[in-house]
Amino acid sequence: YVYGPVFQGLRAVWRSERDVYAEVTLPEQAAADGFGLHPAVLDAALHPIGLTGLLGGDDGGAVLPFAWSGVRLHATGATTLRVRLTPTDDGGIAVAVFDTAGQPVLTADSLVLRPVTTDQLGAGVPDVAQSLFAVEWVPLPDAESGTTAAAAELVWGWHGQVAGELPAVVVAELPTPDDAVGVVEATHAASVLVLGWVQEWLADAATEGSRLVVVTRGATDGSDLAAAAVWGLVRSAQSEHPHRFVLLDLDDDTHYDSDQGSELGRILSAVLDSGESEIAVRAGGLYVRRLVRAGTGRLSLSGSDGLSAGLDAGGTVVVTGGTGVLGGLVARHLVTAHGVGHLLLLSRQGLAAAGAAELVGELTGLGARVRVVACDVADRDALAEVLAGVPAEHPVVGVVHTAGVLDDGVVEALTPRRLETVLRAKADAAWWLHELTRDADLGLFVVYSSAAATLGSPGQGNYAAANAVLDALALRRQAAGLVGQSLAWGLW
């Protein structure tokens, strides 16, 4: 057994013929606030079990706590405890914990232990690849059997066009952007438009018995980044308000008469009968989104999933948010694991950022040549100027976009400005990086996305929208034969 400093609270032990007694104290670096009984001090109270004769076995293995019964917490806030451990007839341990005045803090009728071998512990450590997941679209079973929503029950264009009682299904289709509108502008406009739809829908008590179906095209294959942003935003709204919204993405082969909606009626019947909240229609088939375990190729520059076979060691890799915590981790990894010799770290503060000088010193000590530039990567002109200044003898060969901004709030509290703030740092910057390096011979183009976009995190509608754009951009690049990988990080 090896314990870290917070779990080294055992101070004294006594043993009688049957019982084991101990004194344990919560180490100073651990705060007791917020706990009925701090887990570290409770854990330390169990360490003397070794003196009861119940620890270990003939095979040299160990035993670990397995199941508690009859647990009662009598008092809270204690940080110094007196403990009595008594073997029970069923092979367990009875636990009694008191404060220094002798008042009971916790009692347990029995704690059952189970043996574990070192082989078992080793088997519990998963292959790294097994902890990674990717999104795949799979056919919706029995998609033809839907009967819930007939075409006559559908209402098109809910805003200002529905009089009287709302039906069970209301459809609002995202307009196709004008070809003259740029990707960034279209993404912001679509996000603001649909935010208004969602907020109006939630504010109207008459909608409580209906579902709003948001119809898009190109949201799931990277062909329309604005539609992808809408999916991220609505996905969060779905998490906050279950059963109120449905996302439906159509392909160019799916046509319908918006006055009648007969084809869409068949589709929606299947969608609503399935209980799925997200559906993509492809070549007449209905597909649903699933998480599947990713292959090891997603971990390295292996030439699969939008990654190159390698990086030119003489080239420059650009890292946005390069002086932040994530940017620093990426920079170190690029140098130590991939032999990158030239780094261009971009951040708003540049060398004035906290820890930036130390990071440069560390990377330089690892053999890299590092340049730090203050640049707002969401400003296309400023970014273009910085990239144009990269020496021709060390051209840009890789891009890693870690920069981002948070402005969390439930969907009712979001505003166009709060959307813009987060979209700008994440999505706008990613698009400009893509556009300005599209003709470069890149071996790496990685964007740091978030599980917020994949899962629809409550309270992060703007963040989910921005990161959904990053996911879609990676798909677009791959479809165009360019390197591109979106990493949707969860908890670090």
Side-chain angles (χ1 to χ4, degrees), residues 32-34 114 123 127 146 151 186 190 211 255 331 334 348 400 403 408 413 436-437 456 467:
D33 295 344
R114 285 289 183 269
D127 185 294
R211 269 182 282 188
H255 303 283
L334 288 168
R348 286 179 175 272
V400 183
D408 292 350
L436 293 170
T437 63
N467 285 290

Side-chain angles (χ1 to χ4, degrees), residues 394-483:
H394 303 295
V396 175
V397 296
V399 172
V400 183
H401 179 37
T402 76
V405 171
L406 285 172
D407 189 5
D408 292 350
V410 294
V411 69
E412 293 94 331
L414 294 181
T415 64
R417 178 177 290 276
R418 296 180 73 179
L419 266 175
E420 178 187 8
T421 298
V422 179
L423 283 170
R424 191 175 183 278
K426 274 277 188 179
D428 296 10
W431 177 256
W432 299 138
L433 287 163
H434 159 73
E435 191 173 80
L436 293 170
T437 63
R438 185 160 33 197
D439 296 328
D441 185 17
L442 298 186
L444 185 71
F445 189 100
V446 174
V447 289
Y448 269 39
S449 178
S450 169
T454 307
L455 306 177
S457 295
Q460 290 194 307
N462 48 4
Y463 196 61
N467 285 290
V469 173
L470 268 57
D471 299 340
L473 177 59
L475 291 176
R476 173 180 287 212
R477 288 183 60 90
Q478 292 177 23
L482 302 172
V483 293

